[in-house]
Amino acid sequence: MPATLHNTKLAKTLIAFSTSWGPKFGGINSFNYDLIRAFAAYTYADTRTVCVVLSATVEEQKRALADGFHLISLGDETGSDFSPMLEATAWDAICAEVPPFDIQQTIWLGHDRITGEVALQARDKRGGRAALIHHMSYELYEGFAETSALAKSKEDQQKQLFAAADIRLAVGPLLRDALSDSLGESVTMLVPGLADIKESLRPPNRFKAFLSGRLSDDAKKIKQAHLGVAAFGSAIHMAGQDSGLPDCLQPQNQPKLTLRGVDFEKRAQLDSQSAEDALKAFAETYAHCVYPLSALPFTTDRNALFDDLRLSSVAMMPSWHDGFGLVAWEAIAAGVPLIVSNKCGVYHLIKETESGLFASYILPIQVNGSHAEPFFREEDLIGLRKAIIQVGKDQQGFKNKALKLRESLLGRFGWPECVQQFLAALGWQLDADVPLNDLVVVQPVADLVPALPVAPLRTDSRLDGLSMPKARWRAGAGLSESLLLRAEEAIIPFDPNRDPFLQVQLDWAKLNEFPVAIRLLIGAGGVGKTRLVLEMCHKLAADGWQAGFLSGDLGVTADVGLAQRIIQLEKDCLVVLDYAETRKENLKAMLAV
């Protein structure tokens, strides 16, 4: 008997269209895969979730039901384009596999030109509303990648699709602004959740660079993988000639470059072996030697991809343009030092987040590009080579920055946050108080992590700008189990062996020697600094103090206002500045009050 879902309260229905289930055809499919799974987990009590794909296996469909949504396959195993002519077939499959639903409370979700037209047709023929997500800005790159005429044709088609949509969304700030300019109205930005990648706390012993390939003829102008190969080889050559440059980049230490996603089959007039030989000869030209170059094909095994990434010394994404840049986003999730083009959506997102507070944690480069082979300029090569050498000179320093960036963004950009952005755009309000057991799954899900007892955390504060981090994890909400390691989750009691050290901090706080006192606590990532000060805040709050963390997104002016209110309150107060090295100006301004 197949697994089934039972919930009589489901009123709203989301039906998404995608060419494949998983990352088979690239970033759009990868985004859809994660969004649908997270949406289903987050909204299961109120919403039925459906995804229609050209082809999916029976096992994938069973797993989808176990995860709380319907995955419908149209049985087209050879297709890669979702023709709008398939709308009637999709509708018949939906009616056959999905329990009756209210069409007036249905959203048809399409992804840009890929599945946008079929989503609009479904709305027009069946009812409900259509939401389209903007993934590609043809105006910004297609004229360079192909021809101006082709770019204009795609741009016009895209504009018509989004003009007809009821709800318009875009992935990241670059695509948000491009679509907003095209339509002359505001657009909701979605930020993909950071991937669940186990980070490494130290750089590898041998210098290893990671580059996402796509060396096919239709992508090499934009993705600039050849620039990455050339700059890495050039850095090796320079290090071999200059003993003052990093040892890790010298030829005898065999620095390695891994390219993932290389598509040799699409190289014009060359078979796979000849294409790989040509690439290695190209690398040798710039390195003046043969260096370890691993050119690997595209893989749908994300664990293999993430292993290549997380064990690297540096990740490079030197695209001439990238609407968002999932490779860069995954590098951040893996805690790997990142060299990224300043024409990438991820770079603009980091610049936009907290007024650029985290911009110094990555290495942006300018990629000017060229219409002539190999499609980059000398200054592009020099800029990327310089960044590679910078990382080589201070591998642990850049690793520490990458880990801090990862930690800072994980709490801001998870899939639950992305789903909340999406729900707000749809105008759907969900019942946040529905118990977890409201969804009945008639198939055991062995790998679902059970709910764990969580120590209650105080979150109240009478001072705006001072708060306690909240525990967020719960079973079935689409959150990574790795989130349980965060200090605020407090899944195990505070270690009593640390009580003496905690008492030292409490005794310091309660000294009345000075009206204002500062204490700096330092230590390697993961040793428990945040958990210690959380416990310290709880203890002091129990004694009547105002205690909490300085909010990270209000700015210097708001922090000054907080300091003024603390003075007016005339009450003992503990303010915690996490990642204090990035907030020197905030601290100086508060002390000046």
Side-chain angles (χ1 to χ4, degrees), residues 16-76:
F17 296 97
S18 183
T19 52
S20 75
W21 182 243
K24 179 179 178 182
F25 295 137
I28 294 177
N29 296 96
S30 181
F31 175 85
N32 176 77
Y33 173 82
D34 287 325
L35 176 64
I36 294 304
R37 292 172 69 240
F39 185 89
Y42 193 82
T43 68
Y44 67 85
D46 301 80
T47 304
R48 177 175 286 111
T49 305
V50 181
C51 184
V52 183
V53 298
L54 295 177
S55 178
T57 67
V58 173
E59 287 305 313
E60 287 172 335
Q61 292 178 291
K62 287 181 179 179
R63 178 69 214 191
L65 280 176
D67 286 342
F69 63 97
H70 298 268
L71 178 61
I72 295 177
S73 171
L74 301 186
D76 185 358

Side-chain angles (χ1 to χ4, degrees), residues 259-522:
L259 286 86
R260 262 293 184 184
V262 178
D263 196 352
F264 286 129
E265 288 74 13
K266 291 185 179 179
R267 298 302 309 279
Q269 301 176 342
L270 290 175
D271 60 35
S272 296
Q273 186 59 55
S274 298
E276 183 170 353
D277 290 343
L279 176 64
K280 290 180 177 178
F282 177 81
E284 183 181 340
T285 299
Y286 287 88
H288 296 265
C289 68
V290 174
Y291 68 84
L293 173 60
S294 182
L296 302 173
F298 175 81
T299 178
T300 57
D301 184 347
R302 293 171 116 185
N303 290 329
L305 176 68
F306 292 161
D307 267 350
D308 288 338
L309 179 56
R310 74 181 189 87
L311 298 176
S312 298
S313 308
V314 64
M316 300 182 286
M317 204 186 82
S319 302
W320 181 81
H321 166 83
D322 214 308
F324 187 71
L326 281 178
V327 174
W329 202 229
E330 288 164 354
I332 291 172
V336 174
L338 174 64
I339 301 172
V340 64
S341 163
N342 60 11
K343 296 178 184 175
C344 162
V346 165
Y347 171 70
H348 285 263
L349 177 64
I350 291 174
K351 278 182 57 183
E352 192 174 280
T353 302
E354 295 199 24
S355 302
L357 178 64
F358 309 115
S360 63
Y361 290 167
I362 61 174
L363 286 165
I365 59 170
Q366 172 76 24
V367 179
N368 296 308
S370 171
H371 284 287
E373 289 267 13
F375 305 118
F376 59 84
R377 303 174 68 86
E378 181 67 17
E379 58 265 33
D380 300 338
L381 184 145
I382 292 172
L384 180 50
R385 180 181 66 200
K386 179 181 177 182
I388 293 169
I389 291 173
Q390 276 184 266
V391 176
K393 286 181 176 178
D394 185 14
Q395 291 189 72
Q396 189 61 59
F398 278 98
K399 181 67 175 179
N400 291 342
K401 286 184 178 181
L403 292 171
K404 289 176 183 176
L405 179 63
R406 175 185 186 273
E407 181 71 15
S408 299
L409 298 188
L410 273 175
R412 292 170 171 82
F413 301 118
W415 280 108
E417 285 74 22
C418 183
V419 170
Q420 288 173 342
Q421 295 164 356
F422 186 42
L423 286 170
L426 302 184
W428 282 358
Q429 299 294 324
L430 304 182
D431 183 357
D433 298 323
V434 174
L436 287 174
N437 60 7
D438 190 65
L439 178 68
V440 180
V441 182
V442 187
Q443 175 170 310
V445 185
D447 58 349
L448 184 64
V449 177
L452 297 175
V454 178
L457 295 178
R458 293 174 58 95
T459 59
D460 58 299
S461 174
R462 284 170 288 175
L463 290 171
D464 291 337
L466 194 64
S467 61
M468 293 289 284
K470 299 178 182 179
R472 299 190 302 135
W473 196 91
R474 64 180 175 87
L479 296 170
S480 165
E481 289 86 351
S482 64
L483 186 67
L484 291 168
L485 299 175
R486 293 177 64 87
E488 60 267 27
E489 298 300 323
I491 62 171
I492 59 175
F494 186 77
D495 185 358
N497 291 323
R498 302 191 72 194
D499 282 342
F501 186 67
L502 172 62
Q503 190 59 49
V504 171
Q505 315 314 314
L506 294 171
D507 291 343
W508 163 80
K510 294 178 179 180
L511 282 175
N512 292 319
E513 214 171 335
F514 304 101
V516 178
I518 301 173
R519 171 156 288 202
L520 179 65
L521 296 177
I522 61 174

